[in-house]
Amino acid sequence: MTPSTARRRHPPYVILAIGALAMLGAWFGLQFDHAKQFLATSSAAGATVLALTLRWLFFSGLDRSARNRWLMAIAATVAAFFSLVKLEGCSGNNHPVLAWRWVPRREPTLPPPLPAEQTTPVDLSPTTPDDSPQFLGPQRDAHVNEVHLARDWSTHPPRELWRRAVGAGWSSFAVVGDYAVTQEQRGNDELVVCYRKLTGEVCWTHADPGSFESVIGGNGPRATPTIHSGRVYTMGAKGRLNCLDGATGKPIWSHALLDEHAADFAQVFPEWGKSCSPLIVENLVIVSRGLPDGHSLEAYDAETGKLVWHAGDALSAYDSPVLTTIDGVPQIVIVNRESVDAHDPKTGEHLWSYEWKGGEPKVPQPVPIEPNKLLIAAGYGLGAKLLKIGHAPGVWTIQELWSKRYLKPKFTNVIVRDGVAYGLDDGSALTCIDLATGNRRWRGGRYGHGQILQAFDLLIVQAESGEVVLVDAKPEGATELGHITALAEKTWNEPTLAGRYLLVRNDREAACYELPVAK
């Protein structure tokens, strides 16, 4: 082999070595963020293939005519691929969902908004112990303690009561009495829809013009309605706050939160849409406007819609406000884009702030742990932190007890019970961490970027695939007790448990199951 031949052959190995090192670096350097890991390794692999192709075309001794033929063939192949294939979305780990361009996406056939003359008046005023009137259940903590589910789904499987097509969106159901309310996008309208809980029949709809669209994040509204004193409060994906008559869906008052405030829309609007589910505190409706200059958090009179107070300067993340008591002081806690903040629920006074940077979307709710601790967690490699919050007159202190990356929930919320926390770690596995140390107790069961709900002593896991799994989770380990294929496609919506009735949905269909209960 001549020196010139050796020089021609060595570069491919150099390119391959550099590409392999880049992929290994991405794989191990980004091991705490699977989405970035996938993007980085894919980019490194693509760059390696491109470099090898260019090296072969221009430095392997091909004559000009052969090189031109290969260039045209490669260009034609790339053009053919993009002309034949389209991107229909992404998984929670940013894996692309591809489809042939000539195969239209199977969109559900949905009727237009229900005309007023076809509305069936309902009564959302009576309350029952089985109600789930807001995001994450009765207490907004993903705990449902009023029903004891049977542990044997083989002998007594869940019974499907109804299934129907719904509009796009990642909203969940709010349930009061015999009715379930959710938010959907149908064409160019954003809807609030009231269904009969046990039949799926539409009772009324409310439509607002406008839509939110995102190839990666999905279309439609993100927040879950809140039902209170016979009224329905909703937040649209573009920041429309509605108060609706729960009987008919007719509007009582409304605010376009971003349009009403002179601000740089691109700067303050969350990339994946407004996701704040309204919080009711006595006579106030509290939401994140997420704007600077004292308009981060706002409270409106629930009856009239009049602005009562506004406070804070933090830009919004994808969280909803939580009412809690820390160190004996009632307060509203919310995770914002680069901080966790607390406000007085009556006046909006800013009580304390904990800086939590990261630059990536923060979705999971903060979890108060009595009497003076707060668990915060997020995906994208951030992990979980346990804060101890103290207070003396006029002074708040925040101590970070631990910060670990064993639990990195991207979309799902965290369940705290018996001195441990359960969550879906970056779409990889159900994980249990010790609250005292932040260390991992165990992990197992792969459910993707799904959701979890505590049903007394059991977990209901809604997998990203749409499957529902009943899990007996304890600090020592977890056992799957049963599962059903509740939905057939990507599901990022929280399940809703109202008594023995489980309502599930994604951006295409919804279903209601009657679950067996323990005797």
Side-chain angles (χ1 to χ4, degrees):
M1 181 170 56
T2 65
S4 60
T5 303
R7 283 194 298 269
R8 288 199 301 268
R9 288 187 178 180
H10 287 164
Y13 303 124
V14 174
I15 294 171
L16 285 171
I18 294 173
L21 289 173
M23 285 184 277
L24 287 172
W27 187 258
F28 290 103
L30 297 171
Q31 59 180 313
F32 297 109
D33 187 341
H34 291 164
K36 288 183 177 179
Q37 189 181 64
F38 171 77
L39 291 175
T41 52
S42 299
S43 299
T48 300
V49 171
L50 178 61
L52 288 171
T53 302
L54 293 176
R55 191 266 168 196
W56 174 68
L57 287 173
F58 292 98
F59 299 101
S60 64
L62 287 176
D63 59 54
R64 178 174 296 181
S65 60
R67 183 187 306 124
N68 290 339
R69 288 195 299 270
W70 276 108
L71 282 171
M72 287 188 290
I74 292 171
T77 301
V78 173
F81 176 82
F82 286 104
S83 65
L84 297 176
V85 174
K86 61 181 176 180
L87 177 67
E88 284 201 339
C90 292
S91 72
N93 278 337
N94 284 351
H95 295 176
V97 178
L98 304 177
W100 299 114
R101 287 191 178 274
W102 63 83
V103 178
R105 178 170 169 80
R106 183 182 61 82
E107 297 293 344
T109 302
L110 296 166
L114 200 65
E117 60 271 16
Q118 296 182 21
T119 292
T120 303
V122 304
D123 189 357
L124 295 182
S125 298
T127 59
T128 74
D130 292 339
D131 291 347
S132 182
Q134 62 177 329
F135 181 51
L136 295 181
Q139 304 302 321
R140 195 172 279 220
D141 60 359
H143 283 256
V144 179
N145 295 319
E146 299 300 327
V147 60
H148 295 195
L149 298 180
R151 304 166 71 89
D152 183 4
W153 280 12
S154 299
T155 305
H156 303 286
R159 182 168 68 98
E160 183 180 309
L161 299 183
W162 56 264
R163 179 179 301 274
R164 63 173 299 137
V166 297
W170 304 122
S171 174
S172 299
F173 285 100
V175 179
V176 167
D178 295 328
Y179 305 99
V181 184
T182 190
Q183 295 172 250
E184 310 171 14
Q185 183 172 302
R186 300 187 187 180
N188 294 321
D189 289 326
E190 193 172 68
L191 269 63
V192 183
V193 187
C194 177
Y195 295 95
R196 289 193 183 277
K197 180 178 68 177
L198 300 184
T199 66
E201 172 193 354
V202 175
C203 299
W204 56 255
T205 63
H206 168 80
D208 287 308
S211 61
F212 179 85
E213 298 181 357
S214 169
V215 174
I216 296 177
N219 301 339
R222 276 83 168 110
T224 296
T226 300
I227 303 174
H228 179 74
S229 298
R231 292 184 173 186
V232 178
Y233 300 87
T234 64
M235 172 75 82
K238 291 188 174 181
R240 177 171 291 277
L241 175 63
N242 281 329
C243 172
L244 308 177
D245 180 357
T248 63
K250 293 182 179 178
I252 297 175
W253 55 260
S254 180
H255 289 282
L257 296 186
L258 298 179
D259 295 343
E260 292 174 358
H261 196 282
D264 184 345
F265 185 86
Q267 176 191 2
V268 301
F269 187 72
E271 184 178 3
W272 311 120
K274 293 292 289 183
S275 305
C276 172
S277 299
L279 171 68
I280 306 295
V281 180
E282 296 181 353
N283 66 325
L284 298 178
V285 183
I286 299 173
V287 293
S288 166
R289 189 191 284 254
L291 302 182
D293 302 325
H295 286 271
S296 178
L297 197 68
E298 295 185 334
Y300 294 84
D301 185 284
E303 289 289 325
T304 66
K306 179 181 178 181
L307 181 64
V308 177
W309 57 254
H310 57 88
D313 300 310
L315 301 181
S316 61
Y318 300 88
D319 280 56
S320 301
V322 175
L323 176 66
T324 188
T325 298
I326 297 179
D327 205 24
V329 180
Q331 53 197 274
I332 295 167
V333 177
I334 185 168
V335 174
N336 288 305
R337 194 172 301 185
E338 294 190 339
S339 62
V340 184
D341 295 88
H343 297 260
D344 183 290
K346 293 184 178 180
T347 66
E349 177 190 356
H350 191 250
L351 301 179
W352 57 263
S353 181
Y354 174 77
E355 186 179 86
W356 192 22
K357 294 186 179 295
E360 300 289 355
K362 298 180 178 70
V363 179
Q365 293 288 100
V367 183
I369 303 171
E370 293 184 348
N372 59 354
K373 294 184 177 67
L374 187 74
L375 178 67
I376 57 175
Y380 302 93
L382 291 179
K385 297 174 181 283
L386 185 64
L387 309 179
K388 182 178 180 180
I389 303 168
H391 131 273
V395 179
W396 287 87
T397 59
I398 304 172
Q399 178 186 0
E400 184 183 290
L401 298 180
W402 52 257
S403 178
K404 301 291 179 66
R405 291 197 286 190
Y406 294 115
L407 180 58
K408 305 172 293 300
K410 190 171 181 179
F411 302 147
T412 188
N413 289 287
V414 176
I415 302 292
V416 170
R417 193 190 73 184
D418 299 332
V420 298
Y422 302 102
L424 300 180
D425 179 37
D426 200 19
S428 59
L430 180 63
T431 299
C432 172
I433 63 170
D434 191 300
L435 283 179
T437 64
N439 292 331
R440 185 167 60 211
R441 288 284 194 94
W442 52 260
R443 67 199 304 264
R446 296 186 175 273
Y447 307 107
H449 292 279
Q451 304 289 351
I452 61 175
L453 184 68
Q454 179 80 40
F456 189 62
D457 60 338
L458 300 173
L459 288 184
I460 294 175
V461 180
Q462 175 92 62
E464 187 175 14
S465 63
E467 184 181 41
V468 169
V469 185
L470 186 67
V471 179
D472 183 9
K474 298 178 180 179
E476 298 78 27
T479 304
E480 287 192 6
L481 302 177
H483 62 89
I484 54 174
T485 305
L487 300 170
E489 297 192 38
K490 180 174 70 179
T491 302
W492 289 343
N493 312 64
E494 289 277 352
T496 301
L497 185 63
R500 65 172 64 195
Y501 301 103
L502 180 69
L503 291 98
V504 295
R505 62 157 295 189
N506 54 23
D507 63 340
R508 309 185 62 74
E509 65 175 343
C512 178
Y513 286 86
E514 182 181 11
L515 304 184
V517 296
K519 295 182 180 180

